[in-house]
Amino acid sequence: MKSVQHYNYAQAYDGTDDTKPSTNGGGFVYMRRFVDKMKNNMVSALFSVDYSYKNLFDAQVVFRGDGSSNIQKDSRWLFTPAASASLNLKNLLLQDLPKVSELALRGSWARIGRYQDNNRFAAGPQYTGEEMTSLGQPVTSSYYGWATVARPYNTGWIGYELGWPYSDKWNIGVNTSFFNQRLSLEVEYYNNTDCDLLTTIPVSREYGYEYKYASGMKVRNSGVEVTLSGKPFNNAKGFSWDASFSLAYNKNELLQLPENQNELVIGNRKLQVGHAIDQFWLYQNEGVYASDAEVPVKDGKKLSMSSIEFAKNDPKWKDQNGDNVINDDDKVLKGHSLPPVTGSFVNNFKLGRFDLGINLFFALGHDAINYRSSQRYNFLTLENTPSLESLREIFFWQNTNDKDNYPLYNQMSGLTPYRAEQDLFLEKLSYLKLRSLTLGYTMPIGKKAYKGEGKKKDASKKKLKDIYFYVTGNNLLTFTGFSGDDPELVEMDGYYRGYGQPLSRSVIVGLKLNF
């Protein structure tokens, strides 16, 4: 864990040994300031105006300014106004229509600052080497961390013009209900644009660090949310049924990168303006070369990758630009690590003293890289990797649900044929889950007569009204085409590594006493 109680200066004895005073009786001296997470000052001021006209129209406007010491001095204050309004169409136009219980139109817009919890960006130009700092505090300076000694600086360069990231949000929606509120419908469209986000961009190696921090990234998320709920049957003494169905669609798009760049490569991901930010960057697999004669030849040279020529039993990766060389230029953006469509279907049934609750959840349209399968088939390359991934004992002894239709590549090839960054390991991740299932029974308790004549009823005593017995099952069923253990164990970057704690099925039996 990172410490949040460090001092904002470094100190040491003035002698040659950092653990002992000098012989001339010297004490502690302050060596140099380092950046920490000890303190943050934040000031907010706001002014709001509310307006209401009869029972037809409501509006609110908020003028707000926020200042934070974690932001650089020339950008510490951010103006964050907001406005909202609602119009009651039922009272305005449909008062004489009893079947419509409610009909309202609403909308809002707001600018919200994204809080920076680390004050290193406010300190101005700096660079540090993570491998030489104290444990858990990657921004602590070291005595020998000077520019000519500590290169490269793994955490990059922090310069000027790093402003306050913020989000512009607006939405418009309609609420309506019918038949004395037995059926209700909510529809909302939202648009959320995150602006001036901080990210890293590569710089020339001659600077001594791998990248620098820059401001100006802009991402938009927009979508529609629909919720339909109702009571098809509502008989307190007979059969009743409450149901709720929700559906959400979201689309994300990268609108801008710092310094007007069109694309940016960060690790194994590529961000490109005009595309979704959750797409994978992969080689497009087209099978396997059955013979050396199938390998394309151009100008007397065979298809190659990193100066290694393709041969029999090597993967057939598509040469997107036709230059007869496979490299990053031949990778394509494909799939989505986040589900574009999510939803739930909740039902509660009741018949007499029995009740039944069913909770279903689904996610559609997203994908995952089965990195665990890539490890299994890439064992020869992993054996030369100085990491825990090279230990076969972790997964190789298990009987997994890996697909059996992967092509057989040449393990001795220097092309790393079973690398994860290819659509061979890209799988659909859509799923439907039975989140919970509850069956209950309510046993009523009859009224007991008070014994003894002339004794008054003690109103302070609580009487037992009924006993509720129930059985609840969680995570009972999952319907998916994914070959891994559980589609919800995929990590946020869209890679299934198999290290997540399995979501076990559980059954709970209990009772509740109602007084």
Side-chain angles (χ1 to χ4, degrees):
M1 296 180 62
K2 292 184 178 180
S3 172
V4 296
Q5 301 298 332
H6 283 305
Y7 296 103
N8 60 357
Y9 49 80
Q11 62 180 3
Y13 287 110
D14 63 354
T16 58
D17 191 333
D18 290 341
T19 61
K20 300 176 183 177
S22 61
T23 55
N24 59 6
F28 280 112
V29 295
Y30 302 134
M31 302 301 295
R32 60 176 293 203
R33 182 182 184 274
F34 67 80
V35 183
D36 57 19
K37 293 180 61 179
M38 183 187 73
K39 185 177 180 181
N40 171 43
N41 295 321
M42 190 166 183
V43 177
S44 299
L46 63 89
F47 175 76
S48 65
V49 178
D50 296 338
Y51 175 78
S52 179
Y53 178 71
K54 296 182 179 180
N55 196 19
L56 300 176
F57 179 75
D58 294 283
Q60 183 182 43
V61 179
V62 177
F63 301 95
R64 174 170 174 159
D66 298 286
S68 173
S69 62
N70 280 357
I71 308 298
Q72 293 187 353
K73 292 183 178 181
D74 56 349
S75 305
R76 281 185 174 171
W77 284 95
L78 180 68
F79 181 52
T80 54
S84 64
S86 63
L87 180 63
N88 193 330
L89 297 177
K90 163 66 177 178
N91 293 343
L92 182 64
L93 303 173
L94 304 175
Q95 289 184 346
D96 298 330
L97 195 60
K99 293 183 179 180
V100 179
S101 306
E102 179 186 6
L103 180 60
L105 182 66
R106 52 184 170 78
S108 63
W109 178 91
R111 173 166 292 182
I112 300 175
R114 296 173 63 92
Y115 173 70
Q116 289 282 4
D117 65 346
N118 196 316
N119 63 4
R120 65 175 305 201
F121 298 104
Q126 60 185 265
Y127 32 70
T128 57
E130 289 181 343
E131 72 282 356
M132 296 186 298
T133 59
S134 56
L135 182 63
Q137 179 55 274
V139 293
T140 305
S141 302
S142 57
Y143 296 142
Y144 51 95
W146 303 102
T148 57
V149 179
R151 292 186 177 186
Y153 314 114
N154 294 346
T155 56
W157 167 262
I158 294 177
Y160 295 110
E161 298 181 356
L162 301 182
W164 191 328
Y166 63 92
S167 298
D168 284 336
K169 305 172 180 285
W170 66 270
N171 70 287
I172 184 171
V174 59
N175 297 347
T176 182
S177 61
F178 306 91
F179 311 115
N180 198 22
Q181 297 186 345
R182 289 188 59 182
L183 178 65
S184 62
L185 175 66
E186 295 184 14
V187 181
E188 180 175 334
Y189 173 81
Y190 64 89
N191 188 296
N192 179 26
T193 303
D194 293 305
C195 306
D196 285 346
L197 299 176
L198 291 175
T199 187
T200 56
I201 59 176
V203 296
S204 300
R205 294 281 183 172
E206 289 79 5
Y207 284 105
Y209 41 88
E210 299 180 9
Y211 52 83
K212 69 175 182 178
Y213 287 93
S215 178
M217 183 175 174
K218 182 183 293 186
V219 180
R220 178 174 61 202
N221 278 274
S222 59
V224 179
E225 296 180 349
V226 179
T227 301
L228 177 64
S229 59
K231 301 178 180 180
F233 299 92
N234 189 20
N235 188 342
K237 296 183 179 180
F239 176 71
S240 64
W241 173 26
D242 296 344
S244 175
F245 176 78
S246 64
L247 183 67
Y249 170 77
N250 179 79
K251 177 183 178 181
N252 68 80
E253 181 182 358
L254 178 63
L255 301 179
Q256 180 179 303
L257 283 171
E259 301 181 359
N260 295 320
Q261 297 194 33
N262 184 60
E263 59 185 39
L264 180 63
V265 176
I266 302 178
N268 58 0
R269 305 301 281 259
K270 180 179 181 179
L271 303 179
Q272 186 170 351
V273 175
H275 291 259
I277 63 172
D278 64 331
Q279 289 187 290
F280 300 94
W281 191 37
L282 309 170
Y283 292 108
Q284 189 172 343
N285 192 287
E286 296 182 321
V288 58
Y289 290 110
S291 65
D292 291 340
E294 290 187 8
V295 180
V297 179
K298 186 176 181 180
D299 297 332
K301 295 183 179 180
K302 279 188 174 184
L303 180 71
S304 63
M305 181 180 188
S306 300
S307 300
I308 301 175
E309 293 184 347
F310 283 75
K312 179 182 178 181
N313 294 331
D314 278 341
K316 187 183 293 185
W317 291 323
K318 186 174 181 179
D319 184 11
Q320 301 288 344
N321 55 9
D323 62 355
N324 215 41
V325 175
I326 300 298
N327 52 29
D328 287 349
D329 294 335
D330 299 301
K331 290 183 178 181
V332 295
L333 295 174
K334 196 172 184 179
H336 295 274
S337 59
L338 300 176
V341 179
T342 57
S344 64
F345 188 31
V346 180
N347 295 271
N348 293 296
F349 304 94
K350 188 174 182 180
L351 179 61
R353 298 174 183 174
F354 291 91
D355 62 85
L356 175 66
I358 303 174
N359 186 349
L360 298 169
F361 178 83
F362 60 89
L364 307 173
H366 57 314
D367 311 88
I369 292 293
N370 197 330
Y371 187 77
R372 180 170 172 177
S373 291
S374 171
Q375 285 181 292
R376 283 185 77 86
Y377 293 95
N378 201 31
F379 61 89
L380 191 60
T381 302
L382 290 177
E383 286 181 348
N384 298 320
T385 302
S387 69
L388 289 177
E389 294 181 352
S390 62
L391 299 179
R392 298 190 188 183
E393 288 78 4
I394 296 180
F395 288 137
F396 281 68
W397 61 274
Q398 296 179 349
N399 182 19
T400 64
N401 297 321
D402 287 338
K403 294 191 295 185
D404 56 2
N405 58 350
Y406 291 122
L408 296 178
Y409 293 141
N410 177 19
Q411 283 281 357
M412 302 298 294
S413 173
L415 301 173
T416 315
Y418 287 105
R419 64 181 65 204
E421 282 69 41
Q422 57 179 312
D423 60 3
L424 175 68
F425 297 106
L426 185 67
E427 297 188 32
K428 295 295 183 182
L429 203 60
S430 300
Y431 63 89
L432 169 66
K433 276 204 168 192
L434 178 58
R435 286 277 195 225
S436 63
L437 180 67
T438 300
L439 177 63
Y441 173 76
T442 302
M443 183 177 69
I445 303 297
K447 296 181 179 180
K448 294 183 178 181
Y450 284 86
K451 297 181 180 180
E453 296 182 358
K455 292 184 178 181
K456 295 182 178 180
K457 182 178 179 180
D458 188 355
S460 64
K461 288 186 177 180
K462 295 182 178 180
K463 295 192 303 179
L464 182 63
K465 296 180 180 178
D466 56 60
I467 302 177
Y468 179 68
F469 301 91
Y470 64 93
V471 178
T472 299
N474 297 305
N475 197 38
L476 297 178
L477 294 173
T478 301
F479 302 94
T480 181
F482 180 59
S483 64
D485 294 328
D486 194 305
E488 289 191 299
L489 293 180
V490 175
E491 298 180 27
M492 190 174 181
D493 61 356
Y495 278 64
Y496 173 72
R497 296 177 172 86
Y499 295 114
Q501 183 69 26
L503 303 177
S504 59
R505 296 181 179 91
S506 64
V507 178
I508 301 174
V509 179
L511 60 88
K512 293 192 298 184
L513 306 178
N514 298 321
F515 293 91

